Amino acid sequence: MKVVIVGGVAGGATAAARIRRLDEKAQIVVFEKSGYVSYANCGLPYYIGGVITQEKDLTLQTLESFYRRFRIDVRVHHEVLSVNPDAHCVTVRNLQTGEEFTESYDKLVLSPGAKPTRPDLPGIGSDKIFSLRTVEDTLAIRDYVVREQLESAVIVGGGYIGVEMAENLKGLGLQVTIVQRPKQLMNTFDCDMATLVHAEMRRHGVALRLGSTVSGFAEEDGRITTLLADEEGVTADMVLLAIGVTPDTKLAREAGLQLGVKGSIVVNDRMETSAPDVYAVGDAVQVKHFVSGEDALIALAGPANKQGRIVADNICGGDSRYRGSMGSSVIKVFDLTVAGTGLTEKASAAAGISCDSVILSPGSHAGYYPGAKPMTMKVVFEKDTLRLLGAQVIGGEGADKRLDVLATALHAGMRADELKDLDLAYAPPYSSAKDPVNMAGFMIENLANGLVKQWRWDDEPTLPRDGSVTLLDARTPAEYGRGHIEGFVNVPVDDLRDRLGELDPAKPVYVICQSGLRSYIACRILTQEGFDCYNFAGGYRFFQAVTQEKRASENVYPCGAEK
């Protein structure tokens, strides 16, 4: 059996190695357009920033090591020009010699990945504008920044690559500005959670121009200006385009394969395309979202590696199936860990799912053990069924651990209230006896049982200040004095029972505290005394983070609300 693989990196290289482990006699040929067959593309920004110091550390396998271990014929600097599914062959060009030839196959695996989106704008051809996809791109950017001793950069786009590059260029001492049309960074997160990312970026000196539309680029006096529609442009020494990726599916389209979302390759759960004996994996393929069941593009290394393994199993006579992607991801943003899985509230709404969520701000471990750091968790669930839909966790140490627990629960099909039953490891340096994931389950169970009702940060502007409702801050006087919401009166939770006579039971009560715990206790006291009570989701710390970001934004409010 002869297997030809187009593209290495995650999916293609994984498929090649797995095929060899399953079939020692298979002939395996890998064509890779770049000069590297298997590299850590998620590590590329960190080489530019000098965190990863050795170029060789980016290379997971070299041609020599791949051949020594797996006896795989890897040909770098070889571009596959066309695929002929009927004749079971591909046409290939050696990019170093210009030679073109035909290679036959019994099975073909397409792993072309996705290419950075590059819009057709005036000035886009400038040599001061870069994109990041390959090791070669990485080396070129690093060399340019160091050689030219750059002082500033504009990053167009605020997704994963844009945010990581902002941190790494800032670490090299550059002044960095992120410009993008959406009004929030990290669009795979809900807008309220994204404000925590905004605040961290601003805290480290990254300028944000959100809600701005790039109209072109202009060079002058050795620098480049990113032109913006209806506002002043931003001048810097270089521009990095990070506005997303597009499936690199020219080969598949010209070969007549069925295409789907944004021109991606349609595959079944065995990763088979519409052409016999042709498989596809990685960022170029359309998958099913594990939670919503909708067609999706999810460009992440984890799914690509799993798909490569599944393809290898099926090529070698097995029957492996890909169950879909949840989009579990994590990113370092200066001192924060930012992680998410499944559906956000906005994605749930777009999928037609009626959802609710809880927001909590637990510590990373027991409060009495030194060094606990706060994190913010948002857990999304379906209202009627309590089906777990997704989660977002932002904080310091332990944030990734909680996200992985929630991703596992999501994959296992657990109800959101069943999170309370998880038996999770506890010792003071690592967690609390009631782990944050358990706490989320307790909160969801309380909502489902009617023990508590919620109000949210975006309800605050509409709360009456005419005396028709009671606005109550359950924190200590010292906390209240350091900052509070206008119109809220301070009644500490420990004094509440003795001061019930000051409150009118005929009026609804909206309660807030620092993290949501004391206000919940206050709501339980008031509800049992006949009050109609609502607890704030997330606590004052979360409210302050969201509203401070409103004030920090020069041209837009977060979440798309206009000034």
Side-chain angles (χ1 to χ4, degrees):
M1 176 176 65
K2 181 178 180 181
V3 182
V4 169
I5 300 175
V6 181
V9 195
T14 296
R18 174 72 170 172
I19 291 169
R20 174 59 72 227
R21 290 194 292 270
L22 296 176
D23 187 345
E24 184 64 20
K25 302 302 183 183
Q27 181 184 355
I28 307 169
V29 182
V30 179
F31 293 114
E32 168 59 43
K33 186 177 178 180
S34 76
Y36 301 84
V37 63
S38 180
Y39 57 88
N41 52 358
C42 295
L44 300 183
Y46 299 100
Y47 179 80
I48 294 171
V51 178
I52 298 172
T53 59
Q54 299 297 317
E55 178 186 335
K56 63 181 178 58
D57 291 337
L58 295 175
T59 306
L60 303 178
Q61 290 280 359
T62 65
L63 299 184
E64 295 76 18
S65 67
F66 216 42
Y67 184 79
R68 278 198 310 269
R69 179 156 296 178
F70 299 111
R71 292 298 189 268
I72 292 172
D73 179 6
V74 179
R75 306 182 203 178
V76 296
H77 300 299
H78 279 67
E79 181 181 8
V80 175
L81 303 177
S82 64
V83 175
N84 187 333
D86 295 330
H88 275 54
C89 67
V90 296
T91 302
V92 187
R93 176 185 294 147
N94 183 326
L95 296 177
Q96 294 178 312
T97 67
E99 174 197 4
E100 294 187 11
F101 59 92
T102 298
E103 191 83 25
S104 63
Y105 65 82
D106 297 310
K107 304 287 184 181
L108 176 67
V109 181
L110 299 178
S111 180
K115 56 188 177 183
T117 302
R118 200 171 179 91
D120 185 15
L121 293 172
I124 194 71
S126 168
D127 60 6
K128 299 182 186 301
I129 300 177
F130 296 84
S131 297
L132 180 60
R133 181 187 188 187
T134 66
V135 174
E136 288 90 345
D137 296 335
T138 305
L139 300 178
I141 294 170
R142 170 75 182 182
D143 178 69
Y144 185 69
V145 170
V146 173
R147 184 184 72 248
E148 301 296 326
Q149 298 183 316
L150 303 189
E151 297 181 352
S152 59
V154 167
I155 298 173
V156 181
Y160 289 87
I161 292 295
V163 169
E164 287 178 335
M165 282 299 300
E167 176 178 350
N168 280 280
L169 291 176
K170 191 69 181 173
L172 292 176
L174 278 69
Q175 294 297 314
V176 179
T177 301
I178 294 181
V179 177
Q180 69 165 20
R181 183 182 302 169
K183 296 179 180 180
Q184 71 166 79
L185 302 177
M186 307 291 293
N187 205 40
T188 54
F189 286 73
D190 280 320
C191 57
D192 48 6
M193 296 293 284
T195 60
L196 305 178
V197 179
H198 297 178
E200 183 73 356
M201 298 292 277
R202 296 185 198 278
R203 188 170 74 87
H204 284 85
V206 176
L208 304 181
R209 298 287 291 270
L210 307 179
S212 298
T213 300
V214 175
S215 58
F217 304 92
E219 286 191 57
E220 185 176 359
D221 298 328
R223 306 187 78 205
I224 184 165
T225 298
T226 301
L227 306 174
L228 304 177
D230 303 321
E231 55 182 306
E232 185 178 352
V234 185
T235 301
D237 296 323
M238 67 168 287
V239 171
L240 178 79
L241 292 179
I243 55 177
V245 294
T246 304
D248 192 355
T249 54
K250 179 175 181 287
L251 279 177
R253 182 178 65 253
E254 292 179 350
L257 273 59
Q258 182 183 352
L259 303 181
V261 177
K262 294 184 179 179
S264 58
I265 303 171
V266 172
V267 293
N268 60 18
D269 60 359
R270 287 170 49 87
M271 308 309 296
E272 296 169 323
T273 71
S274 58
D277 299 319
V278 180
Y279 300 77
V281 299
D283 297 351
V285 304
Q286 173 181 292
V287 298
K288 293 291 183 183
H289 195 286
F290 184 85
V291 181
S292 70
E294 295 185 339
D295 293 333
L297 282 175
I298 299 179
L300 293 168
N305 276 278
K306 295 180 184 70
Q307 292 161 11
R309 180 183 175 91
I310 287 168
V311 161
D313 289 350
N314 293 329
I315 285 175
C316 295
D319 186 22
S320 291
R321 308 277 174 161
Y322 189 66
R323 296 182 58 189
S325 297
M326 299 192 306
S328 299
S329 63
V330 63
I331 181 175
K332 179 182 178 295
V333 183
F334 292 101
D335 298 327
L336 287 182
T337 297
V338 180
T341 188
L343 298 179
T344 59
E345 280 192 306
K346 62 184 176 185
S348 298
I353 301 172
S354 178
C355 71
D356 200 353
S357 68
V358 293
I359 300 170
L360 57 158
S361 300
S364 56
H365 58 247
Y368 60 83
Y369 187 88
K373 302 294 184 183
M375 69 180 75
T376 302
M377 292 176 51
K378 183 174 190 177
V379 179
V380 184
F381 58 95
E382 192 169 28
K383 279 185 177 179
D384 295 334
T385 67
L386 301 187
R387 176 169 64 114
L388 187 60
L389 298 175
Q392 300 152 68
V393 186
I394 298 178
E397 63 179 27
D400 56 332
K401 165 179 155 179
R402 272 61 187 219
L403 192 281
D404 281 341
V405 171
L406 290 161
T408 303
L410 182 58
H411 187 84
M414 292 179 62
R415 288 199 322 272
D417 59 332
E418 291 178 326
L419 296 173
K420 72 185 191 312
D421 301 320
L422 290 175
D423 191 355
L424 303 174
Y426 159 63
Y430 303 106
S431 184
S432 299
K434 297 176 182 176
D435 188 86
V437 175
N438 297 136
M439 291 300 300
F442 295 145
M443 294 170 66
I444 293 165
E445 182 184 55
N446 286 339
L447 282 173
N449 292 342
L451 289 179
V452 68
K453 294 183 286 188
Q454 295 188 132
W455 67 283
R456 299 179 180 276
W457 69 269
D458 49 354
D459 295 324
E460 185 270 332
T462 65
L463 293 179
R465 264 67 172 189
D466 59 1
S468 60
V469 302
T470 299
L471 306 177
L472 186 66
D473 190 317
R475 296 176 297 160
T476 65
E479 289 173 309
Y480 181 83
R482 287 193 291 268
H484 58 270
I485 304 175
E486 181 183 355
F488 276 69
V489 296
N490 183 215
V491 180
V493 64
D494 293 337
D495 300 339
L496 183 58
R497 291 182 180 87
D498 297 328
R499 296 176 60 179
L500 286 176
E502 300 175 22
L503 307 179
D504 184 349
K507 298 178 181 179
V509 185
Y510 292 82
V511 191
I512 194 169
C513 74
Q514 193 69 9
S515 68
L517 176 59
R518 285 172 288 173
S519 52
Y520 163 65
I521 295 170
C523 278
R524 290 304 305 141
I525 293 170
L526 292 169
T527 299
Q528 292 177 83
E529 293 292 341
F531 289 81
D532 182 19
C533 195
Y534 298 82
N535 184 30
F536 181 76
Y540 183 76
R541 173 179 165 272
F542 183 71
F543 176 86
Q544 190 177 41
V546 176
T547 54
Q548 280 183 344
E549 173 56 27
K550 279 187 177 184
R551 291 190 291 271
S553 297
E554 296 178 352
N555 58 338
V556 292
Y557 286 169
C559 310
E562 298 297 332
K563 282 185 176 178

